[in-house]
Amino acid sequence: MDIEKNFQQIKRELTLTGRAGIEDFLAWLEFETDFKSAPASTIHHLNVLGGLAQHSLNTLRFARVINKEFGNRESEINITIAALLHDLCKVNYYIQGEAWDKEWKDKTNQWRKIAVWKIDDKLPLGHGEKSVILARKFIDLADSEMLAIRWHMVKWDVSDPGIKPMNEARDKYPLVKIIAMADQMAETYETLGEEAVDEPAQIQIQN
Ligand SMILES: [Fe+2]
Ligand SMILES: [Fe+2]
């Protein structure tokens, strides 16, 4: 994984959307958050440095594939914004820490400490809704983008009682389903194996 290359690609993709305020957003992302180097999770998919940016690009890649299969009914701009910003809530969210290695203890009968990712949410606002709120500090979002970002976890967002509005959003805007599917495809792709994780996202701009 090339962390710098991934971040530059994300900047390029978002700049190409031409969305008003995107320069300010990107400056914030680069200099006031850890988006470039953050992991995508603590123990699941892409729990490595740069994992969040890689996962965001993978989600964009799959969103484009799905959108193409559906006859490109969603605009390239909507797809790009929703895919790349869906997990914005994970900036300034993970910290590196230490934990006792239970597996090592079982194997060797000795304790040792290992580096782990822990959650230290600096702004506990939720998940998809937090991504929307953070993005809206800098840029306007279309209703479909807001709903796609808000509901990308589908029913995995079990803490949320709002199943009814989620289903309404999914019926109202195809983008909501596309981003949720792309997110799950990216996560599946990332957990398949080392080779899959290291393979760069092959994406192209469509004009
Ligand atoms: Fe997510
Ligand atoms: Fe995600």
Side-chain angles (χ1 to χ4, degrees):
M1 184 195 306
D2 188 330
I3 292 177
E4 188 58 40
K5 194 170 150 212
N6 278 349
F7 191 67
Q8 292 309 320
Q9 185 170 357
I10 286 169
K11 279 170 69 176
R12 211 164 41 242
E13 298 277 4
L14 288 172
T15 302
L16 280 169
T17 66
R19 185 65 53 90
I22 204 71
E23 292 85 4
D24 287 346
F25 172 78
L26 289 172
W28 169 76
L29 199 65
E30 183 164 9
F31 300 113
E32 293 184 49
T33 80
D34 59 356
F35 184 88
K36 189 200 284 192
S37 60
S41 71
T42 52
I43 54 170
H44 300 292
H45 64 126
L46 287 176
N47 60 335
V48 293
L49 283 174
L52 177 58
Q54 181 70 63
H55 169 69
S56 303
L57 282 172
N58 289 343
T59 302
L60 175 58
R61 170 190 177 181
F62 285 114
R64 283 178 173 156
V65 170
I66 298 165
N67 193 37
K68 197 172 169 206
E69 290 295 320
F70 291 167
N72 285 318
R73 54 182 299 168
E74 295 296 323
S75 86
E76 183 63 23
I77 290 175
N78 294 157
I79 290 280
T80 303
I81 295 272
L84 290 181
L85 305 190
H86 81 279
D87 274 338
L88 191 58
C89 53
K90 293 179 176 176
V91 299
N92 302 334
Y93 182 78
Y94 298 109
I95 54 165
Q96 283 179 309
E98 287 184 330
W100 293 109
D101 187 351
K102 175 86 170 58
E103 255 179 52
W104 183 257
K105 162 79 167 136
D106 291 345
K107 224 187 290 177
T108 65
N109 205 27
Q110 286 185 329
W111 283 108
R112 72 173 181 184
K113 279 193 169 178
I114 49 171
V116 292
W117 289 105
K118 295 183 174 180
I119 291 173
D120 177 21
D121 194 351
K122 312 292 187 305
L123 188 65
L125 263 173
H127 192 76
E129 63 272 52
K130 179 178 171 184
S131 296
V132 170
I133 292 165
L134 288 178
R136 285 287 285 110
K137 289 171 85 172
F138 301 91
I139 61 173
D140 202 3
L141 294 174
D143 288 353
S144 63
E145 293 166 352
M146 280 195 281
L147 292 170
I149 294 170
R150 168 63 186 95
W151 297 116
H152 75 267
M153 295 290 280
V154 201
K155 289 175 184 171
W156 297 108
D157 204 350
V158 287
S159 62
D160 197 313
I163 296 298
K164 188 165 178 283
M166 178 190 76
N167 284 334
E168 286 172 0
R170 286 170 62 82
D171 288 343
K172 211 171 163 83
Y173 294 108
L175 184 66
V176 179
K177 289 181 180 171
I178 290 174
I179 297 303
M181 274 191 283
D183 184 35
Q184 287 177 23
M185 286 174 76
E187 192 179 333
T188 304
Y189 172 81
E190 290 152 10
T191 49
L192 286 180
E194 291 294 315
E195 327 78 62
V197 170
D198 287 342
E199 194 175 309
Q202 303 287 321
I203 56 179
Q204 285 179 345
I205 292 292
Q206 297 165 3
N207 294 310

